[in-house]
Amino acid sequence: MFYDTIAAIATASGIGGVAIIRMSGNQALTIASRIFRPVGKTPVAEFEPYRMYPGDIDCGSFSDFGMCVFFQAPKSYTGEDVVELHCHGGVNITRAVLRSCLRCGARLAERGEFTKRAFLNGKMSLSAAEGIGDMINGESEAEVKAGYLLYHEKLSKKVKALQDEFTGMLAGIDAAIDYPEEDIEEEKIGDIEKSLRQAEAEEASLLSLYKTGKKIKSGVTVALCGKPNTGKSSLLNALLGYEKAIVSDIAGTTRDAVEGSIEIDGVRFHLYDTAGIRESADKIEAIGITKAERIVRSADLVIFVCDAREVDEADAVVLESVKDKPLIRVMNKIDRDRDHIDSDADVYTSALTGEGLERLKAKMKEMSVSSYAEDSAFLIEERHYAALERGHKFTVSALEKCGVMPLEILALDIKDAWDALGEITGETATEAIIGEIFSKFCVGK
Ligand code: GDP
């Protein structure tokens, strides 16, 4: 519990129907009673919690008519007494209400301070607080959904269960050390080894989800490849729904990588068109080729485009250069020639008529984030991944020592694994880590 009361504008700055000024701390209701004049007979100090009261808000040189609601500790967002003043959403009104709060004893909140207090008061884990950040800042629907799962403690519950397993192992080791004469060590080692194996597998399975989580957070990078004139730029434009890449009949005109982003079922895809990967004497074209190769190398997914009428050796050369990547083979221009369709293709499209584009999009989603179960915990934050990876290393190290080293030595690794996981929930996170996380929030959250 903190002894000062913080205040901030909780809604976005700008003009809107309503704006909310929020206070949190012991004095929230007292300060509100100095600013708010309720319409009814109930004085502010006797407000029933979680009920909206209409009244005048003192804005200094003028008043606004609005609402006041009191959230009583500990049943509030921060775990402290919280008061919200709802005023008309004008910039000057909102600022004036905030000034009134500050004049009457509140302190201006720092970035993320409401959520930081919620965490420090035990209302949520650190990963849940980060989930709120992901929801607010999420650039795609999938990222917002993933943030919501974090906020609902899906990850921290899994992590806590793992920590409980480690705690159980440590208790077992303590017992074995305390009663050496009972010859329980041998049996204990077997139990611990079994538990460690289980924990290691759970950690590894969570870690493997980060591949998908990262794509959900940052988007999936897709490179469109193929020999010149197969319709890569046209396909990109058709996917994006507007003219972005330069379309031309002259082979090799797409000199640079052209970027655009689309959302498929809430997941962001960044599309890169590449100049045809092929030998070229043209210097500018050659630079484009190097860039194209770099793009392919870093892409999560490659869309390899052929012209349905002209499948030849040149296609095979390009295919050879991208065959190690997750690949979708697209046969384009099927509006022209349906008799020469290569049966090896995954999707048949016409960038001109739009045929096959929905199938292509579905394939793109399936190939990149298929392991993504929408309602279970997974990793989207690099910080969580790093902590879990460290925890996993200690678990593996403990496993290797099982039956080889004394139990006391094993216990050190198990304790380190517990601590590493504690960084995710916040139990063992340092002040610096906590400060860094909340500094990314906006004031008022
Ligand atoms: P890129 O070099 O692979 O990027 O190919 P472009 O997108 O520049 O297309 C080359 C030519 O093929 C252009 O004249 C396009 O209009 C044409 N084209 C592209 N896709 C299709 C398609 O699906 N059907 C038909 N009939 N023409 C297409």
Side-chain angles (χ1 to χ4, degrees):
M1 190 59 93
F2 300 86
Y3 294 100
D4 55 350
T5 297
I6 52 171
I9 299 166
T11 39
S13 72
I15 292 171
V18 176
I20 298 171
I21 292 83
R22 180 153 62 168
M23 289 189 278
S24 176
N26 289 352
Q27 294 300 305
L29 202 60
T30 311
I31 295 169
S33 70
R34 291 177 193 146
I35 301 166
F36 194 74
R37 285 186 302 277
V39 170
K41 287 200 177 70
T42 316
V44 174
E46 290 168 27
F47 272 4
E48 212 178 287
Y50 322 108
R51 213 184 121 175
M52 298 282 267
Y53 289 87
D56 272 315
I57 307 170
D58 178 2
C59 299
S61 60
F62 63 94
S63 289
D64 184 23
F65 189 75
M67 301 282 229
C68 180
V69 56
F70 168 49
F71 302 89
Q72 194 168 30
K75 286 187 183 167
S76 70
Y77 181 70
T78 57
E80 306 169 342
D81 278 353
V82 169
V83 170
E84 280 181 9
L85 292 161
H86 295 224
C87 62
H88 287 105
V91 177
N92 286 310
I93 306 169
T94 317
R95 284 188 190 151
V97 176
L98 176 64
R99 271 200 304 274
S100 293
C101 296
L102 302 180
R103 194 177 55 243
C104 293
R107 163 175 73 73
L108 186 64
E110 290 167 16
R111 282 173 173 273
E113 201 173 357
F114 289 90
T115 311
K116 188 176 180 179
R117 286 190 174 193
F119 162 65
L120 294 173
N121 288 326
K123 295 293 286 188
M124 63 178 79
S125 71
L126 196 54
S127 58
E130 287 166 292
I132 293 175
D134 287 325
M135 281 172 71
I136 292 174
N137 300 317
E139 287 179 16
S140 68
E141 232 175 69
E143 192 182 345
V144 175
K145 277 186 194 167
Y148 179 80
L149 293 178
L150 271 180
Y151 172 50
H152 270 272
E153 308 283 10
K154 290 268 185 191
L155 179 65
S156 62
K157 273 184 193 149
K158 276 206 167 183
V159 167
K160 281 213 170 99
L162 274 165
Q163 282 184 301
D164 286 347
E165 283 177 39
F166 290 132
T167 307
M169 294 180 218
L170 289 171
I173 290 176
D174 271 353
I177 293 168
D178 287 347
Y179 305 101
E181 69 283 358
E182 289 183 18
D183 204 25
I184 53 174
E185 180 150 343
E186 201 108 305
E187 193 186 315
K188 267 275 155 316
I189 290 173
D191 288 349
I192 287 167
E193 188 170 352
K194 200 169 145 217
S195 304
L196 276 172
R197 277 199 199 290
Q198 216 170 324
E200 189 278 326
E202 277 170 48
E203 285 171 333
S205 124
L206 259 182
L207 281 171
S208 71
L209 297 177
Y210 182 57
K211 253 190 176 164
T212 299
K214 205 171 158 194
K215 285 180 197 156
I216 284 184
K217 191 155 173 81
S218 323
V220 183
T221 51
V222 182
L224 281 101
C225 295
K227 69 179 188 194
N229 252 10
T230 51
K232 297 180 294 297
S233 311
S234 308
L235 210 52
L236 181 117
N237 287 334
L239 284 167
L240 293 176
Y242 61 89
E243 285 281 316
K244 178 112 195 243
I246 315 150
V247 179
S248 153
D249 264 338
I250 309 152
T253 43
T254 315
R255 290 219 164 111
D256 217 332
V258 186
E259 189 195 355
S261 298
I262 52 166
E263 235 178 73
I264 304 173
D265 289 344
V267 179
R268 252 178 322 150
F269 287 80
H270 304 296
L271 309 180
Y272 291 86
D273 189 3
T274 58
I277 301 176
R278 66 194 173 94
E279 294 301 320
S280 171
D282 183 308
K283 206 174 167 203
I284 304 168
E285 177 80 5
I287 293 167
I289 286 168
T290 322
K291 256 190 182 168
E293 281 167 348
R294 206 175 53 226
I295 289 162
V296 168
R297 230 168 282 148
S298 63
D300 297 310
L301 180 65
V302 168
I303 297 180
F304 170 66
V305 188
C306 289
D307 181 334
R309 271 193 327 180
E310 293 173 8
V311 180
D312 56 27
E313 258 312 293
D315 292 296
V317 172
V318 180
L319 183 60
E320 181 62 26
S321 66
V322 296
K323 70 174 192 319
D324 296 333
K325 303 291 296 188
L327 197 68
I328 302 178
R329 296 187 55 174
V330 172
M331 192 57 64
N332 189 37
K333 305 196 189 181
I334 51 156
D335 55 291
R336 272 185 175 172
D337 196 342
R338 289 178 193 271
D339 297 333
H340 285 86
I341 287 179
D342 178 348
S343 57
D344 275 353
D346 300 305
V347 186
Y348 301 90
T349 61
S350 166
L352 212 63
T353 66
E355 194 181 337
L357 286 187
E358 288 309 313
R359 245 166 307 156
L360 176 57
K361 285 186 192 172
K363 190 84 188 158
M364 286 163 73
K365 167 101 190 282
E366 179 199 315
M367 293 275 293
S368 6
V369 291
S370 60
S371 61
Y372 162 49
E374 297 211 345
D375 59 346
S376 64
F378 67 99
L379 303 177
I380 56 165
E381 293 287 339
E382 197 178 344
R383 189 186 81 79
H384 301 166
Y385 177 77
L388 188 61
E389 200 181 34
R390 221 161 341 102
H392 181 249
K393 273 194 186 132
F394 285 120
T395 311
V396 171
S397 166
L399 253 177
E400 285 166 359
K401 288 174 187 148
C402 238
V404 183
M405 297 271 203
L407 284 176
E408 288 93 328
I409 306 287
L410 216 71
L412 294 176
D413 276 337
I414 297 174
K415 179 73 177 62
D416 282 340
W418 193 99
D419 283 349
L421 296 186
E423 278 184 28
I424 296 175
T425 55
E427 280 161 301
T428 55
T430 60
E431 286 261 335
I433 290 174
I434 295 167
E436 159 87 17
I437 288 168
F438 290 104
S439 69
K440 288 188 204 139
F441 277 63
C442 53
V443 175
K445 189 62 221 169

